[in-house]
């Protein structure tokens, strides 16, 4: 059998097996007594604390200091070539190139995987963040770029506005569009495969730095 | 994984060998105890864990009750989003479909994201027969593949290996599969992770076809969701031109909103984290990729037909039951002779494969019914209940059947029990220190209690309950 | 209140002293205890080993024998859990797949189950006592046993009772909530794993330095105790009832 041989027989077979199997099964009510929201207080601190727990580097700064912080952290790390997707505020990329001393790389025309692999870092915004679980969600929208951009470079600098921060996971789910490709990030790449202990740094970016813009 | 579990002896024989393996016992004790504590602390942090667990259970039950409807909804949504959906009634058909899809691309290698479904159907072996090499990219799967070994845990297939063993495998085997490990490799977990990163980076950049599983499928939107830690999943899902996802039909959730429950239950139960490092979701053909979804039955509808046993299909493969199981901790995963070890394996394997082999018949008995698995299960699968249920369906050995029938006869009437007790008391001095046959398993390591001169019922009758 | 003692077949046959202790303890607390002599076994071994039909027959016998009492007290968490947790399922499962189920059994079981108590539940919840006036001047560690803990969910009732015993020094047991490896026929069918589990339990017991290992289930105690004795550890086993029955006068 080849890939394009229709397997209509199996489709009907599986569906009929299911119908026979559940014919007498009871209906179930779904109780949703779990928390759906959390108070909006202290979200920046909670998010920072939880990300720090995963060994991400976190800064909480007011809007006026964002550009300066971007420049400073890039300079400190010595990030040479930095990919910046479309839609990232001009002010941030200017700071990256200026005080940060990074060479800005654009994904236009799209970089090949090899080219992207040769880049040192990436600067993005995000779609949503979740304070309680220390999670940032990218949806490949403006200021975030396609998924590979935040995957191949070894350093990811992500900026999160406080109005993008949800308290708990159910609040975030409601804000996201499943039709878009989503990447949820909770700390740098890690593994628990060696003796079930978490160690950071496998295939994804080994360094995650987050600037939370609060105020 | 390079071999097959077929033809393994029964669980008690496998386990008897495993309990004497000092390295295995040491590795498992350390790993399971580490994860137990972590799970308890992150689960304890959520004030609404019980409510999430009840919701998770109910959502799964509801989905299973209407699985036909939701599968059709899923098919329609994926197709609408530019993906192609295939249906596989069994492992052979799933393997034929995937092999055909890979061949159609003209490629001879694929990268793989860790997936229980593809292990279950032994996809790698099927691909190899057709000249296609499957490269496992999850660190633990890589360790298993390089070591020509079997997986022994759902989440951490190489849990039976410690850091020194992993280093040795990397040093001796990586060169055969691609970029060799650096000669100076140490057994520091960070160094081992780095070696895996270097070994696989080229592979990720050049391979054009990926095979994945999925943790969840959302029927209303056609979305697939993969949770992972290392970024190998993102590599496979993002970079190749063709993505083939092989998913068991029970992985469905009706609505996008349902993820708000499961994305809380799964990471805390499996790796003991508030959230795993990376979760990817995509709907249909994404960012120019060709996308195929292979829906696999392979025995699941048979499980669904069992009123008690069907709750096993709620499983979200978190491994919490393995990590808390005292039997798993001592026997290890290989003893279960299946890609699904531990308590969940003991109820899932005999249902998926049937109880034709001695091994599969022995699995429902691979438990002391202590109930730790049920307490840990984030979707409240009553594993002890299913174990007992499956035991009632198992074929029993003749000698045991006769013994049980005799015991049933004695317990049938109090007079018979009293006579048997008096007989025991009369000959109590003659009971040997070591019992014969299977009962010797008891006296090998424990004394048997002294038989009293008088049973309680005789004492009561003789003394009028101690009043005389 | 008519209180029936459900002695359990294991205690009846091998540990009559535990039954006698329950009787003297409950009498001391003002209860009139009856022993329905027609009782035999709850059927746990049969059901848990996969012999459902025998289990249903024994369940039927059980509810016949104990119908009409206000409370049924068992000095075994496991057997109490069998009746309370497993009987309703057994009847349901048997009805939908196989053995003959007498009409009325489901109803009789539903009526019976709320009246069945493990000893510690009966003392704390029904009689409302935690200080039973016992005296036992020894160093004791307590193993909670799986079916008391995760079947009946007796929680800290047994240790609350023990901590009120005069002279008793209660020392915590590391890994207390882990199974000892008994598991009924599991101990024979999977003797190697069972022994390995028991070895760890024994080590934890030894680490406490206790003289006495206490539990509310003689099956588990028989298992751990069998290993304690084989290894000549000098640690003795005692059922919770026996410690609670001990008084200065009796000593």
């Amino acid at each position: 059998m080849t890939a394009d041989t229709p397997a209509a027989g199996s489709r009907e077979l599986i569906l009929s097996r299911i119908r026979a199997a559940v014919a007498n099964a009871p209906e179930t009510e779904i109780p949703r007594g779990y928390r759906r929201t959390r108070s909006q207080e202290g979200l920046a601190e909670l998010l920072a604390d939880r990300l720090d727990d995963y060994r991400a580097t976190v800064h909480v700064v007011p809007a006026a200091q964002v550009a300066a912080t971007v420049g400073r952290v890039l300079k400190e790390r010595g990030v040479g070539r930095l990919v910046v997707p479309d839609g990232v505020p001009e002010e941030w990329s200017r700071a990256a190139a200026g005080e940060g001393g990074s060479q800005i790389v654009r994904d236009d025309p799209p970089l090949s995987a090899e080219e992207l692999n040769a880049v040192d870092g990436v600067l993005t915004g995000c779609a949503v963040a979740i304070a309680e679980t220390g999670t940032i969600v990218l949806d490949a929208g403006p200021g975030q770029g396609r998924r590979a951009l935040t995957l191949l470079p070894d350093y990811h600098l992500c900026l999160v506005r406080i109005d993008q921060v949800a308290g708990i996971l159910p609040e975030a789910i409601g804000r996201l569009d499943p039709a878009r490709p989503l990447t949820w990030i909770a700390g740098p790449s890690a593994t628990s495969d060696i003796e079930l202990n978490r160690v950071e740094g496998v295939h994804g970016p080994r360094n995650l730095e987050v600037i939370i813009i609060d105020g | 994984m390079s071999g097959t579990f077929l033809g393994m002896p029964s669980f008690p024989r496998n386990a008897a060998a495993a309990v004497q393996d000092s390295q295995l016992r040491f590795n498992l004790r350390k790993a399971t105890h580490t994860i137990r504590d972590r799970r308890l602390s992150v689960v304890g942090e959520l004030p609404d864990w019980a409510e999430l667990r009840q919701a998770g259970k109910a959502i799964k039950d509801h989905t299973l009750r209407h699985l036909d409807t939701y599968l059709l909804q899923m098919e329609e949504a994926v197709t609408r989003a530019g993906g192609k959906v295939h249906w596989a009634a069994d492992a052979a058909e799933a393997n034929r479909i995937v092999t055909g899809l890979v061949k159609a691309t003209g490629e001879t290698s694929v990268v793989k994201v860790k997936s229980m479904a593809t292990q279950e159907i032994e996809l790698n072996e099927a691909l190899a027969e057709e000249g296609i090499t499957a490269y496992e990219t999850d660190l633990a799967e890589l360790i298993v593949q390089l070591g020509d070994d079997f997986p022994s845990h759902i989440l951490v297939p190489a849990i039976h290996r410690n850091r020194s063993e992993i280093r040795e495998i990397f040093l001796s085997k990586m060169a055969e599969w691609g970029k060799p490990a650096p000669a100076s490799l140490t057994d520091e977990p960070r160094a081992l992770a780095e070696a895996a990163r270097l070994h696989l980076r080229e592979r990720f950049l050049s391979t054009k076809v990926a095979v994945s599983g999925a943790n969840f499928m959302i029927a209303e939107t056609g979305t697939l969701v993969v949770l992972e830690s290392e970024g190998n999943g993102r590599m496979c899902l993002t970079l190749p031109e063709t993505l083939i996802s092989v998913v068991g039909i029970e992985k469905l959730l009706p609505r996008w909103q349902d993820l708000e429950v499961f994305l809380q239950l799964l990471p805390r139960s499996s790796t003991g984290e508030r959230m795993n490092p990376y979760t990817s979701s995509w709907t249909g053909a994404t960012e120019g990729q060709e996308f195929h979804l292979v829906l696999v039955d392979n025995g699941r509808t048979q499980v669904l037909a069992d009123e008690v046993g069907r709750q096993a299909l709620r499983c979200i493969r978190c491994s919490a039951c393995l990590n808390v199981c005292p039997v798993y901790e001592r026997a290890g995963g290989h003893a279960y002779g299946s890609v699904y070890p531990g308590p969940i394996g003991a109820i899932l394997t005999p249902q998926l494969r049937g109880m034709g082999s001695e091994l599969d018949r022995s699995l429902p008995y691979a438990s002391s019914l202590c109930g730790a698995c049920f307490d840990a299960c984030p979707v409240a699968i009553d594993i002890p209940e299913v174990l007992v249920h499956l035991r009632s369906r198992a074929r029993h050995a003749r000698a045991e059947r006769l013994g049980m029938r005799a015991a049933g006869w004695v317990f049938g009437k109090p007079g018979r029990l009293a006579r048997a007790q008096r007989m025991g008391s009369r000959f109590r001095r003659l009971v040997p220190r070591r019992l014969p046959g299977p009962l010797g398993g008891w006296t090998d390591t424990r004394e048997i209690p002294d038989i009293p001169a008088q049973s309680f019922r005789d004492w009561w009758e003789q003394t009028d309950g101690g009043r005389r | 209140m008519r209180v029936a003692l459900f002695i359990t077949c294991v205690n009846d046959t091998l540990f009559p002293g535990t039954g006698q202790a329950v009787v003297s303890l409950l009498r001391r607390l003002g209860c009139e205890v009856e022993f329905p002599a027609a009782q035999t076994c709850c059927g746990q071994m049969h059901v848990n080993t996969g012999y459902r039909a025998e289990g249903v027959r024994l369940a039927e016998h059980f509810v016949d024998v104990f119908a009409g009492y206000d409370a049924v007290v068992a000095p075994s968490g496991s057997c109490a859990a069998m009746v309370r947790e497993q009987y309703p399922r057994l009847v349901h499962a048997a009805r939908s797949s196989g053995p003959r189920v007498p009409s009325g059994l489901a109803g009789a079981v539903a009526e019976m189950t709320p009246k069945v108590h493990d000893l510690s539940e009966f003392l704390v919840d029904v009689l409302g006592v935690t200080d039973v006036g016992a005296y036992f001047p020894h160093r004791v560690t307590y193993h909670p046993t799986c079916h008391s803990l995760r079947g009946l969910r007796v929680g800290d009732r047994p240790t609350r009772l023990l901590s009120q015993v005069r002279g008793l020094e209660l020392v915590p047991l590391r890994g207390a909530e882990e199974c000892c490896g008994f598991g009924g026929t599991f101990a024979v069918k999977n003797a190697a794993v069972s022994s390995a589990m028991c070895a760890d339990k024994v080590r934890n017991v030894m680490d406490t330095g206790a003289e006495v290992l206490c539990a509310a289930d003689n099956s588990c105690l028989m298992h751990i105790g069998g290993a304690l004795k084989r290894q000549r550890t000098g640690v003795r086993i005692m059922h919770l009832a026996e410690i609670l029955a001990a008084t200065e006068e009796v000593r």
Side-chain angles (χ1 to χ4, degrees), chain A:
Chain A
M1 191 172 115
T2 59
D4 49 10
T5 306
S10 292
R11 181 177 183 270
E12 294 318 312
L13 178 64
I14 293 169
L15 291 170
S16 69
R17 282 174 180 170
I18 292 169
R19 286 167 190 147
V22 300
N24 297 314
E27 290 290 343
T28 310
E29 286 293 310
I30 300 171
R32 291 188 191 265
Y34 52 86
R35 296 170 304 153
R36 308 297 283 275
T37 54
R38 181 198 179 278
S39 100
Q40 297 298 296
E41 252 170 70
L43 289 188
E45 292 70 25
L46 185 60
L47 176 62
D49 173 73
R50 296 293 152 94
L51 279 164
D52 179 67
D53 223 30
Y54 297 140
R55 308 219 173 90
T57 309
V58 192
H59 314 268
V60 183
V61 300
Q65 286 172 30
V66 172
T69 310
V70 168
R72 180 172 54 82
V73 302
L74 289 170
K75 188 176 170 201
E76 278 169 15
R77 282 193 188 262
V79 177
R81 303 180 69 230
L82 180 78
V83 65
V84 180
D86 286 349
V88 165
E90 258 315 300
E91 188 198 3
W92 302 353
S93 36
R94 261 204 312 275
E99 197 199 332
S102 297
Q103 181 196 337
I104 306 298
V105 181
R106 292 283 175 183
D107 189 35
D108 183 24
L111 301 160
S112 70
E114 285 77 9
E115 286 168 327
L116 205 44
N117 193 40
V119 165
D120 301 304
V122 58
L123 167 67
T124 72
C126 72
V128 168
I130 306 161
E132 187 180 76
T133 59
T135 310
I136 292 162
V137 189
L138 308 183
D139 70 357
Q144 300 161 60
R146 62 194 169 97
R147 295 172 295 173
L149 258 53
T150 52
L151 175 60
L152 290 169
D154 205 16
Y155 170 74
H156 181 190
L157 176 58
C158 185
L159 284 83
V160 180
R161 295 193 318 264
I162 191 69
D163 61 286
Q164 292 175 315
V165 182
I168 57 176
L169 207 141
E171 294 171 85
I173 284 283
R175 295 196 204 172
L176 290 164
D177 175 6
R180 309 189 65 89
L182 303 179
T183 305
W184 304 52
I185 298 171
S189 158
T191 182
S192 298
D193 283 353
I194 303 164
E195 299 173 3
L196 268 172
N197 249 320
R198 178 166 164 141
V199 289
E200 282 75 22
V202 200
H203 302 294
R206 285 178 290 188
N207 299 293
L208 173 68
E209 190 150 11
V210 180
I211 299 175
I212 303 168
I213 309 164
D214 186 13

Side-chain angles (χ1 to χ4, degrees), chain B residues 330 365 391 400 447 457, chain C residues 39 48-49 51 189 200:
Chain B
R330 289 163 183 88
Y365 292 92
R391 290 174 185 188
E400 185 190 283
E447 303 290 331
R457 67 178 60 237
Chain C
Q39 64 179 287
N48 283 355
T49 312
Y51 296 80
K189 282 178 179 276
D200 289 339

Side-chain angles (χ1 to χ4, degrees), chain B residues 71-94:
Chain B
L71 280 171
L72 290 172
Q73 221 183 327
M74 181 75 196
E75 180 187 43
E76 197 201 320
V78 170
T79 310
R80 207 186 319 124
K84 190 159 190 306
V85 178
H86 311 259
W87 301 68
D90 55 24
E93 188 175 12

